[in-house]
Amino acid sequence: MKSHRKYLINAFEKEAMARGWHDSAKNPRGLARCGYKNARQWARWMADTYFDENGLITCSILMDVIEDAVKVDQPLTQADYDYVAEEEISCW
């Protein structure tokens, strides 16, 4: 099974691609202009901010999603992590 970090990386990369941030030639707010090589590198950096140096989750919204899945005994899917990434970016 994939780790929480891998799912988050995929979710943030998908969100960056959907918003067009990966293409700095067309978007003045592109990721390349911020110093990232590509959307995947930015997604890794974003996912790392949700974990401490021991690999423990520090994000309350992610913990809520995990706890809700445990309560109803449902496995987490990529859609759950996509929801977390979308919510986080929409709060900016």
Side-chain angles (χ1 to χ4, degrees):
M1 180 178 169
K2 289 184 178 179
S3 69
H4 297 294
R5 183 178 177 274
K6 287 181 183 178
Y7 278 116
L8 267 181
I9 290 170
N10 290 338
F12 279 115
E13 182 180 19
K14 180 179 176 182
E15 193 66 26
M17 299 295 265
R19 293 175 184 260
W21 294 346
H22 64 287
D23 190 1
S24 63
K26 295 181 181 177
N27 188 346
R29 294 173 45 179
L31 295 172
R33 294 182 187 202
C34 297
Y36 298 101
K37 185 170 64 174
N38 52 32
R40 187 76 174 177
Q41 183 186 22
W42 174 79
R44 285 185 185 118
W45 178 81
M46 282 298 298
D48 285 343
T49 63
Y50 290 83
F51 299 92
D52 65 7
E53 63 276 353
N54 297 323
L56 300 174
I57 299 170
T58 59
C59 174
S60 61
I61 189 170
L62 181 57
M63 284 302 297
D64 291 342
V65 168
I66 294 170
E67 288 172 0
D68 291 344
V70 169
K71 285 179 187 174
V72 295
D73 196 28
Q74 292 286 339
L76 289 170
T77 63
Q78 184 64 49
D80 297 320
Y81 293 92
D82 292 345
Y83 166 76
V84 170
E86 184 179 347
E87 282 295 311
E88 287 294 311
I89 291 174
S90 70
C91 290
W92 293 351

